[in-house]
Amino acid sequence: MILSLTRSFNLVKIVVSYLISLITGRLIHWGNPVAVSIEPADFCNLRCPECPAGIKKLTRPEGMMQPETFQSIINQLLPHLSYLSLYFQGEPYLNKHFFEFVAFARSKKVFVATATNGHFLDEASVRQTIESGLNQLIISLDGADQESYQTYRQGGDFEKVVAGIRRLVSEKKRLKSDKPEIILQCLLLKSNEHKLAEIKKLGKDLGVDKITFKTARFDDYTKGNPLMPENPKLIRYKRISVKSEETQKSKIKSQKSKVKNQNCKSNLKIEKTSHFPIFKFPNSQIKSSHADQFPKSSAIYIIKNRQPNSCFRMWSSCVITWDGNVVPCCFDKDAKYAAGNMNKQNFNQIWRGHFFQDFRRNILHDRKSIDICTNCSQNF
């Protein structure tokens, strides 16, 4: 992130207002975004099963951002913008103006990163990637061979991606450039969890700067997903047992009968809860509720991270779709919570408008009521 005095002061204002909001419970918001994601295009050449752009499940129109729109957005976000992610939905390299976008943002001293599936790293685009000044390039490679790779990256060519990475690393060395930082990113899946050592070795052999492993997000995760790794440490969800109501009632009846037969009826206290009673035995170390006394009958998955009424991103960043819609974050894939459109409004009107302020206020008081937050892996 590139910070000038103006950008540093802006960041301080954001952090201070965020902390005051958390401490007091009252919405205080100062400053402008330090980081923004801009979507070059919302369509893709692959058909990854959990990607709404790839499987054509986005409810918003397909398209690609135009240079005049991009330049207008960047100019309105300056001088406070420090970090730009040129990625949201879709494959960024499919926008023919992509390298113009990178070069323009870099000319304004903005750090620029993007993510790609790696299928467009031919000689020409590799040269342009380096010459544009792109700071960071994340390349998705979710396997150690075609078989483990194509389970998720459907329509993808493993060898083509590997060849493109080699080409990029080689050209970067030839031009003696320190940019972009090349990050090989592997999405953790059932199809590749047994190949992680091989993937790490492949990354080192290719000469990338960094290798990262990322847990996968699943839209429909409560009942599990066939793509989920078997190793619970490799998923962002945890499995918990649930019991049917009939099983619980039967167990409660059995517990009551046992207590009665043991002649301790007079010492038993039953506290009513919203669903079932909790049995408490005085002068005993037994304090378990009904939840851990019943046998397992089925299971569901819940997100591991706790989700407090806070989110620094709502104070410091936003996402802008290819057609100018400003949305709160990357979990709003369909732009359901569009606060405004930059082709029709000034950014400051949107950023400080009623919609965004009400959204931040809701984050502070009842984040779990916002549907796009229920599957969020961020915890701050």
Side-chain angles (χ1 to χ4, degrees):
M1 188 177 289
I2 303 170
L3 292 176
S4 62
L5 185 61
T6 299
R7 289 170 178 175
S8 298
F9 183 59
N10 177 63
L11 179 58
V12 169
K13 290 198 295 183
I14 292 170
V15 172
V16 170
S17 66
Y18 178 65
L19 292 175
I20 293 174
S21 299
L22 292 185
I23 293 167
T24 65
R26 292 177 58 248
L27 175 62
I28 304 294
H29 182 245
W30 301 323
N32 291 286
V34 294
V36 166
S37 294
I38 296 179
E39 180 181 69
D42 67 344
F43 51 90
C44 188
N45 56 305
L46 302 186
R47 297 293 176 264
C48 306
E50 288 296 316
C51 175
I55 58 176
K56 307 294 184 183
K57 288 187 74 173
L58 287 176
T59 58
R60 54 191 176 92
E62 278 192 358
M64 62 175 67
M65 183 168 284
Q66 298 303 308
E68 57 272 18
T69 302
F70 180 81
Q71 291 180 18
S72 173
I73 291 171
I74 295 297
N75 286 332
Q76 289 187 57
L77 294 172
L78 294 172
H80 306 100
L81 183 66
S82 301
Y83 181 94
L84 171 63
S85 175
L86 262 178
Y87 170 75
F88 179 30
Q89 298 301 294
E91 168 55 46
Y93 277 67
L94 286 174
N95 188 317
K96 62 183 180 180
H97 304 292
F98 174 74
F99 299 112
E100 294 176 46
F101 296 169
V102 176
F104 182 80
R106 291 293 296 121
S107 72
K108 306 297 182 180
K109 295 181 167 52
V110 176
F111 184 100
V112 183
T114 194
T116 177
N117 60 44
H119 282 76
F120 301 97
L121 297 176
D122 56 26
E123 288 186 12
S125 65
V126 159
R127 172 68 73 89
Q128 287 178 290
T129 296
I130 298 169
E131 292 180 344
S132 68
L134 183 69
N135 295 91
Q136 187 180 84
L137 179 62
I138 300 170
I139 304 173
S140 298
L141 191 67
D142 309 320
D145 49 41
Q146 181 65 25
E147 183 180 0
S148 56
Y149 174 78
Q150 69 183 1
T151 300
Y152 187 75
R153 300 287 168 181
Q154 295 180 14
D157 185 334
F158 175 82
E159 292 299 335
K160 185 175 184 178
V161 177
V162 170
I165 297 172
R166 282 203 181 96
R167 192 176 294 120
L168 178 60
V169 171
S170 175
E171 186 68 4
K172 187 178 160 185
K173 287 179 180 178
R174 192 184 73 80
L175 295 175
K176 297 180 181 178
S177 175
D178 60 348
K179 293 189 289 289
E181 178 188 27
I182 304 170
I183 300 176
L184 186 69
Q185 180 174 276
C186 173
L187 206 58
L188 294 167
L189 302 160
K190 187 175 182 178
S191 56
N192 64 28
E193 63 178 319
H194 59 295
K195 298 270 189 179
L196 302 187
E198 293 176 49
I199 294 169
K200 188 177 292 187
K201 182 180 183 301
L202 174 62
K204 289 180 179 179
D205 292 343
L206 289 171
V208 300
D209 298 300
K210 190 184 295 183
I211 304 162
T212 62
F213 295 91
K214 180 182 178 181
T215 57
R217 176 187 181 275
F218 299 101
D219 283 327
D220 186 12
Y221 62 87
T222 54
K223 295 182 180 179
N225 188 298
L227 293 168
M228 279 186 182
E230 296 288 342
N231 187 344
K233 293 180 180 180
L234 303 182
I235 58 176
R236 62 180 68 176
Y237 311 98
K238 65 179 178 181
R239 187 178 186 273
I240 61 170
S241 60
V242 292
K243 302 90 190 175
S244 68
E245 186 172 333
E246 288 303 314
T247 302
Q248 294 180 24
K249 286 181 178 179
S250 173
K251 188 67 177 178
I252 291 170
K253 187 176 180 180
S254 173
Q255 290 278 11
K256 286 182 178 179
S257 176
K258 182 184 289 187
V259 168
K260 185 175 180 179
N261 291 339
Q262 291 175 345
N263 296 319
C264 48
K265 181 178 179 181
S266 59
N267 292 326
L268 178 63
K269 294 181 180 179
I270 300 178
E271 292 186 5
K272 292 290 184 181
T273 65
S274 59
H275 297 290
F276 301 102
I278 297 175
F279 295 97
K280 290 193 173 182
F281 295 86
N283 303 318
S284 171
Q285 293 183 345
I286 301 175
K287 296 181 180 180
S288 297
S289 71
H290 64 82
D292 56 13
Q293 296 179 31
F294 302 129
K296 293 181 180 180
S297 60
S298 60
I300 62 170
Y301 287 84
I302 62 172
I303 197 161
K304 286 179 180 176
N305 282 2
R306 66 186 184 89
Q307 293 178 308
N309 289 330
S310 60
C311 181
F312 185 63
R313 286 189 177 186
M314 293 303 97
W315 272 249
S316 62
S317 66
C318 64
V319 174
I320 302 172
T321 64
W322 70 269
D323 52 354
N325 284 321
V326 181
V327 301
C329 75
C330 61
F331 284 92
D332 189 9
K333 300 179 187 299
D334 273 314
K336 178 181 178 180
Y337 293 94
N341 188 285
M342 292 195 66
N343 291 314
K344 302 173 183 177
Q345 300 162 270
N346 179 277
F347 179 77
N348 277 329
Q349 292 177 321
I350 300 170
W351 183 244
R352 306 188 191 286
H354 291 299
F355 185 95
F356 250 125
Q357 292 296 77
D358 288 344
F359 196 92
R360 294 183 185 107
R361 194 173 287 110
N362 206 12
I363 288 286
L364 280 176
H365 298 124
D366 192 19
R367 182 182 171 201
K368 66 179 182 295
S369 69
I370 305 172
D371 57 357
I372 60 171
C373 296
T374 59
N375 197 6
C376 177
S377 57
Q378 301 297 327
N379 183 19
F380 43 62

